[in-house]
Amino acid sequence: MLTKRGLAWAVTGLLLGVPGAAVAQEQPVDTLPGAVSSAVRMKLERDGRLSITEQITVPAGRTVERTVPLRQPAGDGAERVYTVSDAAVDGSGSVRVDAENLHVTLHPGVSTLRYAVRGAVADAGELQEVRWQVSGGWNVPVDRVEITSLLSPQIPREIQCLAGPVGSTDRCARFELTHTQAVHALAYGLAPGERMDFTFRIPAGTVPANAVTEQHFGLARAFALTPVTGAGLAGIGLLLVGGIGLLWYARGRDARAFAADAGHVEVLMIDERGAVTFASPDGVLPGQLGTVVDERVDPVDVTATVLDLAVRNYLWIEELPGGDWRFVRLNPADDSLRPFERAVYDLVLGDTGEVRLSDLGRLDLSRVREALYAEVVAKDWFARQPGSERNLFWWLGVGIALGGAVLTAVLALTSSLGLLGIGVLLGGVVAAFGARLVPARTRRGSALVVQVRGLRRYLHDVSADSLPAADRETVFSRSLPYAVVLGETERWLAEFAGLDPAADGTPGLYWYGTPGETADLRSFQRNFPHLVAKLNETFAR
């Protein structure tokens, strides 16, 4: 007599097709004579293994083989990796398992193949998905594959069955989850190499998930636009926008300095003797001025420094017949000279007391440039040397770009985040190109630029007649090196060329000698530009 529990197990066995004493052994039915067919029973163990029992009929007169791949495509450059254990054949045949495949060889007759699969269970939100290729890899056509039973700790919520070529989405001839919760699936007429994939879904947490998915390189996957890459690219974009904004602000400060109305800049002062004299804005020297304005040391900056040294009585310039000039040492270099001025002084005169311009050979300006760049930084007109400012940002950009290239390769080969590396690379390229636009001047340097514009206006507007006769030569000479740097030489010479020291009491040039006995400012107006041009040419070698 059956107890209530025994009756329940019997009913369940009958509904789900569980083999038992009261159930006859299932045989494939409706199979074409001389064709391969199989009947499959599946059981999901509580530890996550999927146990498979497959009864296979092989017609007389032939031996068949089946190779089941244990790495199966999972889409988007990924592979699902399975592990098979406890494989055995009852009947006429053999089975072998390696890391890549399950190999089965069967001889004519009815054989039973048993094995266990790990890697079939994957978490999928509120459900777990169990997937396995119940048939496939045959080297002969398979007339019929039937899933006759499925046992699971939880009744399946959904099932799906695909049959046909690998990768196709053709459904099986029939698959159903009956009103009694029994599972049944059937596929007919599989060609060699075609498969039957079966998937069922159960509540989450029913068994331990054991699916293993390995990603492989693929351009579509490596550079896929995902929420993570999208957020990363947005962050990189914000950083770039912020950097461009800071660059725009910094350059705008300089642009405003160059465009602003300079107004009146007072460069003419009354000294303690009551004489009118020239005083440059912020105490800037001619060589310094040119470097601050265009952010580099040019030959004209060195030329202006030589002229300024003459005006300040450190050397004397003598015009010689035949278009040559001689520089004569008047006073030794002292502590009043800035390091860059001392470098220019030594460059021109060296250890001699005098030298002709035509005898000056190839001159090395490296010491002058180094000292002059250090000078404008020491005066707080630049945060650091103009060239090094840009080099710093350029190398930083190049480093980021190279790092981005390496990061792109690593991310593309190991994940789907390759776009993040591309974003970093592009950010480095933008930084490297933007380095050329980074202003090196400080606020004080930009303020000096405004004052320099006022100085240029002074060189345009002041007239010789507005100055006391006794002070005209001093103002003219002290301003002349600045006019040379700012490109105002022609106008400045023209303004004072009409002065006649013999008639109006204007002193002659004390720092410049001419072949004649008396100073001739009109002759000076004609010949001085040639001196400037030849000095520029000498320092540009």
Side-chain angles (χ1 to χ4, degrees):
M1 180 176 179
L2 292 173
T3 63
K4 290 183 179 180
R5 176 177 294 182
L7 179 61
W9 278 107
V11 172
T12 302
L14 288 171
L15 291 177
L16 298 181
V18 179
V23 182
Q25 186 179 24
E26 296 188 34
Q27 298 289 340
V29 296
D30 300 330
T31 302
L32 294 175
V36 174
S37 64
S38 69
V40 182
R41 297 194 300 273
M42 308 173 67
K43 180 181 180 182
L44 181 62
E45 309 288 352
R46 292 191 176 276
D47 63 358
R49 288 179 300 141
L50 184 63
S51 296
I52 305 294
T53 301
E54 185 175 356
Q55 187 173 314
I56 305 168
T57 300
V58 179
R62 66 189 311 175
T63 296
V64 299
E65 294 183 355
R66 178 186 177 189
T67 301
V68 181
L70 301 183
R71 290 178 174 270
Q72 300 179 12
D76 197 22
E79 286 185 338
R80 186 79 167 265
V81 182
Y82 298 91
T83 303
V84 169
S85 61
D86 303 326
V89 172
D90 294 338
S92 179
S94 62
V95 61
R96 176 172 56 86
V97 181
D98 58 34
E100 300 293 330
N101 298 287
L102 167 68
H103 303 274
V104 181
T105 301
L106 298 175
H107 303 293
V110 179
S111 302
T112 301
L113 172 65
R114 294 184 178 86
Y115 57 92
V117 179
R118 283 192 176 275
V121 184
D123 288 327
E126 296 181 355
L127 296 174
Q128 286 185 311
E129 183 177 271
V130 185
R131 173 189 169 192
W132 177 239
Q133 188 181 102
V134 296
S135 182
W138 292 99
N139 67 340
V140 295
V142 177
D143 176 61
R144 174 189 177 97
V145 180
E146 181 179 11
I147 298 176
T148 60
S149 69
L150 169 64
L151 289 178
S152 170
Q154 293 280 353
I155 296 174
R157 300 285 181 85
E158 304 172 18
I159 64 173
Q160 184 180 36
C161 185
L162 302 177
V166 175
S168 69
T169 57
D170 297 335
R171 296 187 176 190
C172 297
R174 183 172 65 187
F175 59 97
E176 58 184 344
L177 183 61
T178 70
H179 66 285
T180 62
Q181 307 302 317
V183 173
H184 182 257
L186 184 63
Y188 290 106
L190 297 179
E194 293 186 343
R195 92 308 184 202
M196 177 179 178
D197 280 336
F198 187 74
T199 303
F200 63 94
R201 297 176 178 86
I202 53 179
T206 299
V207 298
N210 53 22
V212 176
T213 301
E214 293 185 359
Q215 298 285 346
H216 297 279
F217 177 76
L219 290 177
R221 181 188 70 87
F223 299 101
L225 182 59
T226 65
V228 174
T229 56
L233 289 176
I236 294 172
L238 288 177
L239 289 176
L240 285 178
V241 170
I244 292 173
L246 290 175
L247 179 60
W248 174 84
Y249 172 78
R251 286 189 62 81
R253 184 186 66 201
D254 270 10
R256 289 188 294 272
F258 279 102
D261 183 7
H264 178 70
V265 176
E266 189 62 60
V267 295
L268 297 181
M269 304 292 178
I270 305 297
D271 64 15
E272 65 277 2
R273 298 178 288 104
V276 177
T277 187
F278 172 86
S280 64
D282 204 10
V284 65
L285 296 168
Q288 298 169 338
L289 184 146
T291 305
V292 171
V293 170
D294 61 15
E295 302 186 12
R296 65 176 181 269
V297 177
D298 296 317
V300 70
D301 302 330
V302 184
T303 295
T305 300
V306 171
L307 300 175
D308 192 51
L309 290 174
V311 170
R312 289 157 56 193
N313 283 320
Y314 285 96
L315 57 87
W316 185 62
I317 302 175
E318 182 183 8
E319 182 181 330
L320 301 176
D324 200 359
W325 284 264
R326 180 170 58 186
F327 302 96
V328 181
R329 186 193 308 269
L330 290 183
N331 291 299
D334 55 26
D335 294 339
S336 298
L337 294 183
R338 306 298 301 175
F340 82 92
E341 293 178 308
R342 183 184 293 271
V344 173
Y345 183 88
D346 293 339
L347 182 70
V348 174
L349 292 176
D351 297 329
T352 64
E354 62 179 61
V355 64
R356 290 191 177 209
L357 178 56
S358 58
D359 292 335
L360 290 177
R362 184 178 182 85
L363 301 177
D364 182 7
L365 294 183
S366 58
R367 182 183 164 205
V368 175
R369 289 193 180 95
E370 182 180 348
L372 195 44
Y373 282 135
E375 183 75 18
V376 295
V377 173
K379 289 288 189 177
D380 195 31
W381 292 319
F382 291 89
R384 58 177 63 89
Q385 291 188 14
S388 65
E389 180 86 8
R390 288 177 175 81
N391 287 339
L392 172 66
F393 283 97
W394 188 84
W395 283 112
L396 179 63
V398 170
I400 293 174
L402 292 176
V406 174
L407 183 63
T408 299
V410 172
L411 292 178
L413 292 172
T414 60
S415 69
S416 60
L417 305 177
L419 283 178
L420 292 182
I422 293 291
V424 174
L425 187 152
L426 291 178
V429 171
V430 171
F433 278 99
R436 300 182 61 183
L437 304 177
V438 175
R441 278 183 290 266
T442 62
R443 290 183 180 273
R444 182 176 177 181
S446 296
L448 178 60
V449 169
V450 176
Q451 294 177 306
V452 168
R453 294 182 64 242
L455 173 59
R456 180 178 275 121
R457 174 174 293 184
Y458 148 78
L459 294 172
H460 266 287
D461 296 344
V462 73
S463 66
D465 293 338
S466 65
L467 303 172
D471 301 326
R472 292 172 184 170
E473 189 279 333
T474 300
V475 172
F476 168 75
S477 295
R478 290 300 308 274
S479 303
L480 183 57
Y482 295 88
V484 169
V485 170
L486 295 176
E488 300 293 338
T489 307
E490 183 177 351
R491 190 269 166 189
W492 195 245
L493 291 174
E495 178 63 30
F496 286 84
L499 300 181
D500 185 354
D504 56 23
T506 302
L509 297 179
Y510 61 90
W511 56 273
Y512 187 94
T514 61
E517 295 183 358
T518 60
D520 184 350
L521 292 184
R522 292 198 181 278
S523 174
F524 180 79
Q525 179 189 14
R526 290 190 303 270
N527 296 331
F528 181 76
H530 298 295
L531 168 63
V532 171
K534 289 192 175 183
L535 280 172
N536 288 341
E537 181 181 346
T538 298
F539 295 131
R541 291 173 185 170

